[in-house]
Amino acid sequence: MKPKTYLVKILLLLLVFSCNSKSSELELEQNSKPKAKEFFVVPGEDEIIEPEIIKKGEVLVAYSDCYHCHKEEGKFKGPSFADIARRYPMQQAYIDLLARKIISGGSGTWGYPVMSSHPKLSLEDAKIMVTYILSLEKSKS
């Protein structure tokens, strides 16, 4: 065989091996990424909340614009209510935090979606709505 033929075969082999190593690197990278349902969960015990407050929160959420960006299950524009309930324990500190987040809006907690602000919503109503949202996952388990 001619030297050019050897050179072409060697280059083809190198090309094949380099493609294989890149695909296994890609597989390794994809396998190391967290799954869609994996996210940081805030540790803590749930506090007991009166069922009347949860029912009132359900009504307030139903008459709000929450469902324009959220679903009870499954990702939409924003995280699902069930994912929010899985992340945060039912504690007054988190109810206050999330209620203020609803009123002021923001981004970054769940990735790229931007939470629009709701400045006309009272803090008390926002807390009641958050109580309902945080109760969702607990009521199914």
Side-chain angles (χ1 to χ4, degrees), residues 27-121:
E27 288 173 17
L28 181 62
E29 182 181 314
Q30 289 174 344
N31 291 336
S32 66
K33 289 182 182 178
K35 305 292 184 254
K37 285 290 181 181
E38 292 179 14
F39 51 79
F40 176 75
V41 175
V42 177
E45 296 294 319
D46 290 335
E47 296 173 358
I48 298 173
I49 303 293
E50 295 180 32
E52 295 82 31
I53 294 174
I54 294 170
K55 286 289 185 192
K56 187 175 179 184
E58 183 177 13
V59 171
L60 288 171
V61 168
Y63 283 99
S64 73
D65 66 347
C66 296
Y67 289 112
H68 292 174
C69 299
H70 302 277
K71 292 181 179 181
E72 285 192 22
E73 284 288 333
K75 190 163 173 54
F76 191 41
K77 292 178 185 175
S80 72
F81 289 153
D83 283 347
I84 296 168
R86 279 190 279 275
R87 175 175 276 185
Y88 297 100
M90 178 79 78
Q91 294 179 1
Q92 196 59 49
Y94 296 108
I95 292 170
D96 293 345
L97 170 84
L98 294 172
R100 291 178 194 285
K101 183 103 173 177
I102 289 171
I103 293 169
S104 64
S107 66
T109 306
W110 294 91
Y112 295 108
V114 175
M115 171 86 165
S116 59
S117 63
H118 301 82
K120 294 183 180 178
L121 186 63

